[in-house]
Structure formats: C-alpha cells, structure tokens
Short mmCIF file of all heavy atoms in Angstrom, two decimals:
data_model
loop_
_atom_site.label_atom_id
_atom_site.label_comp_id
_atom_site.label_asym_id
_atom_site.label_seq_id
_atom_site.Cartn_x
_atom_site.Cartn_y
_atom_site.Cartn_z
N ILE A 17 -47.08 -79.55 -93.69
CA ILE A 17 -47.13 -78.57 -92.62
C ILE A 17 -48.55 -78.51 -92.03
O ILE A 17 -49.53 -78.43 -92.78
CB ILE A 17 -46.69 -77.19 -93.10
CG1 ILE A 17 -45.22 -77.25 -93.50
CG2 ILE A 17 -46.92 -76.12 -92.04
CD1 ILE A 17 -44.66 -75.97 -94.03
N HIS A 18 -48.62 -78.56 -90.72
CA HIS A 18 -49.89 -78.50 -90.00
C HIS A 18 -49.81 -77.44 -88.94
O HIS A 18 -48.71 -77.04 -88.51
CB HIS A 18 -50.21 -79.86 -89.35
CG HIS A 18 -50.34 -80.96 -90.34
ND1 HIS A 18 -51.51 -81.20 -91.01
CD2 HIS A 18 -49.43 -81.87 -90.78
CE1 HIS A 18 -51.32 -82.22 -91.84
NE2 HIS A 18 -50.08 -82.65 -91.71
N HIS A 19 -50.95 -76.99 -88.45
CA HIS A 19 -51.01 -76.01 -87.37
C HIS A 19 -51.42 -76.74 -86.08
O HIS A 19 -52.46 -77.41 -86.06
CB HIS A 19 -52.01 -74.88 -87.69
CG HIS A 19 -52.06 -73.86 -86.63
ND1 HIS A 19 -51.07 -72.90 -86.51
CD2 HIS A 19 -52.90 -73.65 -85.62
CE1 HIS A 19 -51.35 -72.16 -85.47
NE2 HIS A 19 -52.45 -72.58 -84.91
N PHE A 20 -50.62 -76.60 -85.05
CA PHE A 20 -50.83 -77.28 -83.77
C PHE A 20 -51.09 -76.26 -82.67
O PHE A 20 -50.44 -75.21 -82.62
CB PHE A 20 -49.60 -78.09 -83.38
CG PHE A 20 -49.19 -79.10 -84.40
CD1 PHE A 20 -48.25 -78.78 -85.38
CD2 PHE A 20 -49.76 -80.36 -84.40
CE1 PHE A 20 -47.88 -79.73 -86.32
CE2 PHE A 20 -49.39 -81.31 -85.36
CZ PHE A 20 -48.46 -80.99 -86.32
N THR A 21 -51.99 -76.59 -81.77
CA THR A 21 -52.12 -75.85 -80.52
C THR A 21 -52.01 -76.85 -79.37
O THR A 21 -52.35 -78.02 -79.53
CB THR A 21 -53.47 -75.09 -80.41
OG1 THR A 21 -54.53 -76.02 -80.47
CG2 THR A 21 -53.62 -74.06 -81.51
N GLY A 22 -51.54 -76.37 -78.27
CA GLY A 22 -51.39 -77.26 -77.11
C GLY A 22 -50.75 -76.54 -75.96
O GLY A 22 -50.66 -75.31 -75.93
N ARG A 23 -50.29 -77.33 -75.00
CA ARG A 23 -49.70 -76.79 -73.77
C ARG A 23 -48.51 -77.65 -73.36
O ARG A 23 -48.48 -78.85 -73.62
CB ARG A 23 -50.72 -76.82 -72.65
CG ARG A 23 -51.96 -76.01 -72.96
CD ARG A 23 -53.04 -76.20 -71.90
NE ARG A 23 -54.33 -75.77 -72.41
CZ ARG A 23 -54.72 -74.52 -72.60
NH1 ARG A 23 -53.90 -73.53 -72.36
NH2 ARG A 23 -55.91 -74.23 -73.05
N TYR A 24 -47.55 -77.01 -72.72
CA TYR A 24 -46.46 -77.77 -72.12
C TYR A 24 -46.91 -78.36 -70.80
O TYR A 24 -47.77 -77.80 -70.11
CB TYR A 24 -45.24 -76.86 -71.89
CG TYR A 24 -44.50 -76.52 -73.13
CD1 TYR A 24 -44.59 -75.27 -73.70
CD2 TYR A 24 -43.72 -77.48 -73.78
CE1 TYR A 24 -43.89 -74.96 -74.85
CE2 TYR A 24 -43.03 -77.19 -74.93
CZ TYR A 24 -43.12 -75.93 -75.47
OH TYR A 24 -42.44 -75.61 -76.60
N TYR A 25 -46.34 -79.48 -70.43
CA TYR A 25 -46.61 -80.08 -69.12
C TYR A 25 -45.33 -80.74 -68.61
O TYR A 25 -44.44 -81.10 -69.38
CB TYR A 25 -47.77 -81.07 -69.20
CG TYR A 25 -47.48 -82.34 -69.98
CD1 TYR A 25 -47.10 -83.50 -69.32
CD2 TYR A 25 -47.59 -82.37 -71.36
CE1 TYR A 25 -46.83 -84.66 -70.02
CE2 TYR A 25 -47.32 -83.51 -72.07
CZ TYR A 25 -46.95 -84.67 -71.41
OH TYR A 25 -46.67 -85.81 -72.11
N GLN A 26 -45.26 -80.88 -67.30
CA GLN A 26 -44.10 -81.51 -66.64
C GLN A 26 -44.41 -82.98 -66.37
O GLN A 26 -45.53 -83.32 -66.02
CB GLN A 26 -43.83 -80.80 -65.31
CG GLN A 26 -43.44 -79.36 -65.44
CD GLN A 26 -42.03 -79.19 -65.96
OE1 GLN A 26 -41.13 -79.93 -65.56
NE2 GLN A 26 -41.84 -78.23 -66.84
N THR A 27 -43.42 -83.82 -66.54
CA THR A 27 -43.54 -85.23 -66.24
C THR A 27 -42.16 -85.76 -65.88
O THR A 27 -41.15 -85.06 -66.06
CB THR A 27 -44.12 -86.01 -67.44
OG1 THR A 27 -44.39 -87.35 -67.06
CG2 THR A 27 -43.21 -85.97 -68.65
N SER A 28 -42.10 -86.97 -65.39
CA SER A 28 -40.81 -87.56 -65.06
C SER A 28 -40.22 -88.21 -66.31
O SER A 28 -40.94 -88.55 -67.25
CB SER A 28 -40.95 -88.58 -63.94
OG SER A 28 -41.82 -89.61 -64.35
N GLY A 29 -38.89 -88.36 -66.30
CA GLY A 29 -38.22 -89.03 -67.39
C GLY A 29 -38.43 -90.54 -67.29
O GLY A 29 -39.11 -91.03 -66.38
N SER A 30 -37.84 -91.27 -68.23
CA SER A 30 -37.99 -92.73 -68.18
C SER A 30 -37.41 -93.28 -66.88
O SER A 30 -36.54 -92.68 -66.27
CB SER A 30 -37.31 -93.37 -69.40
OG SER A 30 -35.94 -93.06 -69.40
N CYS A 31 -37.92 -94.39 -66.42
CA CYS A 31 -37.60 -95.01 -65.15
C CYS A 31 -37.99 -94.10 -63.98
O CYS A 31 -37.45 -94.21 -62.89
CB CYS A 31 -36.11 -95.35 -65.04
SG CYS A 31 -35.43 -96.36 -66.36
N ASN A 32 -38.90 -93.14 -64.23
CA ASN A 32 -39.33 -92.16 -63.21
C ASN A 32 -38.14 -91.38 -62.64
O ASN A 32 -38.09 -91.06 -61.48
CB ASN A 32 -40.12 -92.84 -62.10
CG ASN A 32 -41.47 -93.28 -62.59
OD1 ASN A 32 -42.12 -92.56 -63.36
ND2 ASN A 32 -41.89 -94.45 -62.19
N THR A 33 -37.16 -91.11 -63.52
CA THR A 33 -35.95 -90.40 -63.11
C THR A 33 -35.91 -89.04 -63.83
O THR A 33 -36.15 -88.97 -65.01
CB THR A 33 -34.70 -91.20 -63.47
OG1 THR A 33 -34.79 -92.48 -62.88
CG2 THR A 33 -33.44 -90.51 -63.01
N GLY A 34 -35.58 -88.02 -63.09
CA GLY A 34 -35.46 -86.69 -63.70
C GLY A 34 -36.81 -86.06 -63.97
O GLY A 34 -37.87 -86.58 -63.59
N GLN A 35 -36.76 -84.90 -64.62
CA GLN A 35 -37.98 -84.16 -64.95
C GLN A 35 -37.91 -83.72 -66.39
O GLN A 35 -36.87 -83.30 -66.88
CB GLN A 35 -38.13 -82.96 -64.01
CG GLN A 35 -39.46 -82.26 -64.19
CD GLN A 35 -39.65 -81.20 -63.13
OE1 GLN A 35 -38.85 -80.99 -62.26
NE2 GLN A 35 -40.77 -80.48 -63.24
N CYS A 36 -39.05 -83.81 -67.05
CA CYS A 36 -39.12 -83.47 -68.48
C CYS A 36 -40.26 -82.51 -68.71
O CYS A 36 -41.26 -82.53 -68.01
CB CYS A 36 -39.39 -84.70 -69.35
SG CYS A 36 -38.15 -85.98 -69.18
N THR A 37 -40.08 -81.67 -69.73
CA THR A 37 -41.17 -80.80 -70.18
C THR A 37 -41.50 -81.22 -71.60
O THR A 37 -40.66 -81.18 -72.48
CB THR A 37 -40.71 -79.33 -70.17
OG1 THR A 37 -40.33 -78.97 -68.85
CG2 THR A 37 -41.84 -78.43 -70.64
N LEU A 38 -42.73 -81.71 -71.76
CA LEU A 38 -43.20 -82.21 -73.06
C LEU A 38 -44.38 -81.33 -73.53
O LEU A 38 -44.96 -80.60 -72.74
CB LEU A 38 -43.62 -83.66 -72.97
CG LEU A 38 -42.54 -84.65 -72.54
CD1 LEU A 38 -43.14 -86.04 -72.38
CD2 LEU A 38 -41.38 -84.67 -73.52
N PHE A 39 -44.72 -81.47 -74.79
CA PHE A 39 -45.83 -80.72 -75.36
C PHE A 39 -47.01 -81.64 -75.56
O PHE A 39 -46.86 -82.77 -76.02
CB PHE A 39 -45.38 -80.13 -76.71
CG PHE A 39 -46.35 -79.18 -77.33
CD1 PHE A 39 -46.59 -77.95 -76.76
CD2 PHE A 39 -47.05 -79.50 -78.48
CE1 PHE A 39 -47.48 -77.05 -77.32
CE2 PHE A 39 -47.93 -78.61 -79.06
CZ PHE A 39 -48.14 -77.37 -78.48
N GLN A 40 -48.18 -81.17 -75.19
CA GLN A 40 -49.41 -81.93 -75.37
C GLN A 40 -50.22 -81.25 -76.49
O GLN A 40 -50.61 -80.10 -76.35
CB GLN A 40 -50.24 -81.92 -74.08
CG GLN A 40 -51.60 -82.59 -74.22
CD GLN A 40 -52.26 -82.65 -72.88
OE1 GLN A 40 -51.90 -83.51 -72.07
NE2 GLN A 40 -53.22 -81.80 -72.64
N ILE A 41 -50.47 -81.95 -77.57
CA ILE A 41 -51.23 -81.41 -78.70
C ILE A 41 -52.70 -81.48 -78.35
O ILE A 41 -53.20 -82.54 -77.99
CB ILE A 41 -50.93 -82.17 -80.00
CG1 ILE A 41 -49.48 -81.96 -80.42
CG2 ILE A 41 -51.89 -81.74 -81.11
CD1 ILE A 41 -49.04 -82.76 -81.62
N GLU A 42 -53.38 -80.36 -78.48
CA GLU A 42 -54.82 -80.29 -78.22
C GLU A 42 -55.62 -80.21 -79.51
O GLU A 42 -56.69 -80.81 -79.59
CB GLU A 42 -55.12 -79.13 -77.29
CG GLU A 42 -54.48 -79.35 -75.93
CD GLU A 42 -54.69 -78.19 -74.98
OE1 GLU A 42 -55.20 -77.13 -75.38
OE2 GLU A 42 -54.31 -78.33 -73.81
N THR A 43 -55.16 -79.47 -80.48
CA THR A 43 -55.86 -79.40 -81.78
C THR A 43 -54.85 -79.40 -82.91
O THR A 43 -53.70 -78.98 -82.75
CB THR A 43 -56.73 -78.12 -81.91
OG1 THR A 43 -55.88 -76.98 -81.93
CG2 THR A 43 -57.74 -78.02 -80.78
N ILE A 44 -55.31 -79.87 -84.07
CA ILE A 44 -54.51 -79.87 -85.29
C ILE A 44 -55.36 -79.27 -86.41
O ILE A 44 -56.49 -79.71 -86.62
CB ILE A 44 -54.07 -81.29 -85.67
CG1 ILE A 44 -53.28 -81.94 -84.54
CG2 ILE A 44 -53.27 -81.28 -86.96
CD1 ILE A 44 -53.02 -83.40 -84.73
N ASP A 45 -54.78 -78.27 -87.07
CA ASP A 45 -55.41 -77.65 -88.24
C ASP A 45 -56.82 -77.12 -87.99
O ASP A 45 -57.68 -77.14 -88.87
CB ASP A 45 -55.45 -78.64 -89.43
CG ASP A 45 -54.06 -78.99 -89.89
OD1 ASP A 45 -53.14 -78.16 -89.75
OD2 ASP A 45 -53.88 -80.12 -90.41
N GLN A 46 -57.06 -76.61 -86.79
CA GLN A 46 -58.34 -75.97 -86.48
C GLN A 46 -58.26 -74.50 -86.83
O GLN A 46 -57.23 -73.86 -86.63
CB GLN A 46 -58.65 -76.11 -85.00
CG GLN A 46 -58.90 -77.53 -84.56
CD GLN A 46 -60.15 -78.12 -85.20
OE1 GLN A 46 -61.19 -77.50 -85.24
NE2 GLN A 46 -60.00 -79.30 -85.73
N PRO A 47 -59.37 -73.95 -87.39
CA PRO A 47 -59.34 -72.52 -87.69
C PRO A 47 -59.14 -71.70 -86.42
O PRO A 47 -59.67 -72.04 -85.36
CB PRO A 47 -60.74 -72.24 -88.27
CG PRO A 47 -61.43 -73.54 -88.39
CD PRO A 47 -60.61 -74.58 -87.69
N ARG A 48 -58.35 -70.64 -86.55
CA ARG A 48 -58.09 -69.78 -85.40
C ARG A 48 -59.22 -68.81 -85.23
O ARG A 48 -59.69 -68.19 -86.21
CB ARG A 48 -56.77 -69.04 -85.60
CG ARG A 48 -55.61 -70.03 -85.66
CD ARG A 48 -54.36 -69.33 -85.46
NE ARG A 48 -54.35 -68.76 -84.13
CZ ARG A 48 -53.29 -68.25 -83.57
NH1 ARG A 48 -52.19 -68.23 -84.20
NH2 ARG A 48 -53.36 -67.72 -82.36
N VAL A 49 -59.65 -68.65 -84.01
CA VAL A 49 -60.71 -67.69 -83.68
C VAL A 49 -60.02 -66.54 -82.92
O VAL A 49 -59.36 -66.77 -81.92
CB VAL A 49 -61.79 -68.34 -82.81
CG1 VAL A 49 -62.83 -67.32 -82.42
CG2 VAL A 49 -62.42 -69.52 -83.52
N SER A 50 -60.19 -65.34 -83.43
CA SER A 50 -59.53 -64.22 -82.79
C SER A 50 -60.20 -63.89 -81.47
O SER A 50 -61.39 -64.10 -81.28
CB SER A 50 -59.53 -62.99 -83.70
OG SER A 50 -60.86 -62.63 -83.99
N GLU A 51 -59.38 -63.36 -80.57
CA GLU A 51 -59.86 -62.95 -79.25
C GLU A 51 -60.78 -61.74 -79.43
O GLU A 51 -60.50 -60.88 -80.27
CB GLU A 51 -58.69 -62.58 -78.37
CG GLU A 51 -57.77 -63.75 -78.07
CD GLU A 51 -58.35 -64.72 -77.07
OE1 GLU A 51 -59.09 -64.27 -76.17
OE2 GLU A 51 -58.06 -65.91 -77.17
N PRO A 52 -61.81 -61.64 -78.66
CA PRO A 52 -62.67 -60.44 -78.78
C PRO A 52 -61.91 -59.20 -78.26
O PRO A 52 -61.10 -59.31 -77.35
CB PRO A 52 -63.84 -60.76 -77.86
CG PRO A 52 -63.36 -61.80 -76.93
CD PRO A 52 -62.31 -62.57 -77.66
#
C-alpha cells in the first residue's frame, strides 16, 4: 500500500477516438503537509 497524490486529466482514447479521464500521479509516499 502506497499513498498517491495527483490530478485527473482529459485525453483522447486509443486511435484518437473518444474521450478519457485518466489519473496523473504527482507524488508517491510523500509526507502530508497540513494546510495553514
């Protein structure tokens, strides 16, 4: 088990057909810093 942070993004499906929403991982297992 790992901790992931990232964002969703839109892209086309294979053969540039359709639309997909995929997840982009930005960090793995980084300590969380609380918001001020």
Side-chain angles (χ1 to χ4, degrees):
I17 294 178
H18 299 277
H19 183 76
F20 303 93
T21 60
R23 301 172 198 287
Y24 285 107
Y25 69 97
Q26 297 286 320
T27 188
S28 60
S30 60
C31 307
N32 290 319
T33 304
Q35 187 172 358
C36 299
T37 301
L38 300 175
F39 188 68
Q40 176 174 284
I41 294 175
E42 295 177 353
T43 66
I44 302 170
D45 296 331
Q46 294 295 313
R48 296 196 63 169
V49 177
S50 61
E51 296 284 327

